[in-house]
Amino acid sequence: MNDVANNTAVAQYFSTMAAALGGLDIHFGNPDARLADNGPSASVLLPYIDRLRNSFACWQNRIGFTEQFRVSRAESGFPVFQNVLELENDRAGAAKRLATIPAARSLREEMVDFILRQKEFPSALQTQIAERLYLEQIGKGEIFSPLILPETIGVTVNPTSRRPSYLVTWAAFDGTSTLPMVYVATIEDSSDNVVKLLVTDEGGLNSDMDIPLPVGGLLNPELARLFDDFVARNSSYSLTPATIATNMDRDFPTLHPKSVRRIVLGPFYSAGITENAGRVNEILSRVRKPENAWVMTWTVQEVFSKREQPAQKGFFSSTPAVQEFHIETHDLEAARMGVSSYEKHVLVPHDAYQALYASGEAKTIFGNFKVHVISGNQIVSEV
């Protein structure tokens, strides 16, 4: 993990990351794009891409007065966790700090006056302007925090079980792997309070209930706080999706996780910056335009319930319904990940793909990845 100190390298890193996030916007924003073949729309990831973009805009402004920015060059290609923590900490105190810094217009007028009188550059004033722009940027949009609490973004009723089914998302920036991750879970709820409210006698969704989606937290108000606490303890990269789903099933007797997906963004490769794949970076360094010398990868992991053991109600004791999660043991990587299935994706600019293809190593490098090549605003998948 190194400081990115060279001005050219800094500018290139931020421009390539901006291009990669823009490419993800196009890919996930495609109406036909889904999280795996039978998953929800990939557009559920767009708010989290926006948060990443806002974070990078903040970090770029922050360099103007801290002159230091650390990237996990040998591993994820994303900023180290300390940057994420500092951003979160600075956001908490942004309003108070802004109140102590003069307005940007006033500072610029003072800079002009200083240059005319002193015949030299006012570095201290420039630093103040940079800090002000950084603090203002933090307030413009939501950032990618260490933990982004759950939202319920969809609700239906399973006609077979007659339970409300929630589509819930949350996210975390993992401190050890330095990777941003988004979780998308389908969870049925057998709590009496929500079944009475949301399910009609015919087993459909009660149309009289006006649910202003997305809803902050789990839709069930009696479990929302506890679910937030659960997510805070169960979102690290070191936990497999199967472990997270099993813990959820155990901790909440009336919640029944039918599917838990984890989308791991990265690693990211940028020529001249990252060192996380020597051969890839070497080939990327041959790309004519530096802004096209990058590769963004992501992995979609899923664990799903293959069956549910019904609840047992006895005279002296009872046991809740229990999910049996499928782990694909015939695929060693799926078994290692603790998932039913997974997909690996790579997004690469056309220029960079040509360089990788010309090297004769594209097939070896991309292996079992689904390849998406971007040119302008167009993406061609499965090249």
Side-chain angles (χ1 to χ4, degrees):
M1 298 179 183
N2 306 90
D3 291 351
V4 177
N6 178 277
N7 286 340
T8 303
V10 169
Q12 184 179 334
Y13 178 76
F14 279 105
S15 68
T16 54
M17 182 58 83
L21 295 177
L24 291 179
D25 263 343
I26 296 170
H27 177 73
F28 295 142
N30 181 338
D32 298 326
R34 310 203 76 75
L35 296 179
D37 294 337
N38 61 340
S41 169
S43 63
V44 301
L45 301 179
L46 292 177
Y48 298 100
I49 302 301
D50 277 343
R51 284 176 173 270
L52 274 176
R53 185 180 293 104
N54 289 335
S55 289
F56 276 97
C58 292
W59 283 320
Q60 195 163 10
N61 282 329
R62 197 175 194 275
I63 290 172
F65 63 94
T66 63
E67 298 181 349
Q68 194 177 59
F69 184 67
R70 299 186 71 208
V71 172
S72 177
R73 298 173 68 177
E75 294 167 356
S76 72
F78 276 84
V80 301
F81 193 50
Q82 184 62 31
N83 291 314
V84 181
L85 293 175
E86 287 172 352
L87 209 58
E88 187 76 359
N89 185 58
D90 289 347
R91 182 175 67 161
K96 188 175 180 180
R97 178 66 185 137
L98 267 173
T100 69
I101 303 174
R105 180 176 179 179
S106 174
L107 287 170
R108 290 192 181 97
E109 290 173 353
E110 199 174 335
M111 281 181 71
V112 172
D113 183 61
F114 184 94
I115 292 168
L116 292 174
R117 285 188 295 104
Q118 305 293 334
K119 310 299 183 188
E120 59 184 65
F121 189 77
S123 300
L125 290 169
Q126 178 64 30
T127 299
Q128 275 193 300
I129 286 182
E131 184 176 5
R132 180 164 192 94
L133 292 174
Y134 164 71
L135 294 169
E136 288 175 346
Q137 180 66 39
I138 288 181
K140 283 182 181 176
E142 296 173 309
I143 59 175
F144 205 104
S145 304
L147 178 69
I148 301 169
L149 290 172
E151 279 191 337
T152 301
I153 62 171
V155 58
T156 56
V157 171
N158 181 332
T160 304
S161 66
R162 293 199 165 206
R163 296 171 180 158
S165 178
Y166 311 138
L167 188 63
V168 184
T169 68
W170 69 93
F173 196 107
D174 188 75
T176 303
S177 66
T178 63
L179 290 167
M181 305 174 299
V182 180
Y183 289 87
V184 182
T186 301
I187 305 167
E188 291 185 10
D189 189 348
S190 60
S191 305
D192 289 341
N193 63 321
V194 294
V195 171
K196 287 176 182 175
L197 275 175
L198 298 179
V199 183
T200 64
D201 293 338
E202 294 75 30
L205 185 65
N206 183 358
S207 59
D208 292 335
M209 290 297 297
D210 183 19
I211 305 171
L213 297 171
V215 172
L218 192 74
L219 190 60
N220 185 332
E222 292 181 8
L223 297 178
R225 178 76 58 90
L226 290 172
F227 193 79
D228 284 354
D229 293 341
F230 171 85
V231 161
R233 298 190 309 271
N234 288 271
S235 295
S236 69
Y237 184 69
S238 61
L239 296 176
T240 67
T243 298
I244 295 168
T246 301
N247 290 349
M248 188 188 302
D249 195 39
R250 180 199 64 212
D251 290 1
F252 297 94
T254 59
L255 294 183
H256 315 283
K258 296 300 180 178
S259 167
V260 175
R261 287 184 173 88
R262 177 165 69 189
I263 299 86
V264 183
L265 296 170
F268 173 69
Y269 308 95
S270 181
I273 303 292
T274 59
E275 302 160 356
N276 40 8
R279 185 61 180 144
V280 173
N281 288 312
E282 182 186 333
I283 297 169
L284 287 177
S285 67
R286 303 175 196 164
V287 176
R288 186 168 52 88
K289 293 182 178 179
E291 63 269 25
N292 290 334
W294 57 268
V295 171
M296 174 66 84
T297 66
W298 70 96
T299 303
V300 181
Q301 304 170 324
E302 181 189 10
V303 64
F304 59 79
S305 172
K306 58 183 177 181
R307 69 177 64 89
E308 179 178 298
Q309 294 180 3
Q312 301 290 328
K313 295 185 178 180
F315 190 75
F316 293 106
S317 66
S318 61
T319 58
V322 176
Q323 307 303 310
E324 291 184 26
F325 296 105
H326 173 64
I327 303 298
E328 186 49 75
T329 54
H330 296 296
D331 184 318
L332 289 177
E333 191 160 8
R336 179 186 61 80
M337 290 181 186
V339 296
S340 312
S341 64
Y342 68 92
E343 287 182 357
K344 291 186 170 185
H345 296 262
V346 58
L347 180 68
V348 55
H350 186 259
D351 288 1
Y353 183 77
Q354 282 187 318
L356 290 161
Y357 190 81
S359 73
E361 298 179 55
K363 192 171 183 180
T364 303
I365 288 169
F366 293 135
N368 60 345
F369 283 79
K370 292 189 175 183
V371 181
H372 312 279
V373 178
I374 181 169
S375 179
N377 291 322
Q378 299 296 316
I379 292 180
V380 178
S381 298
E382 291 297 338
V383 175

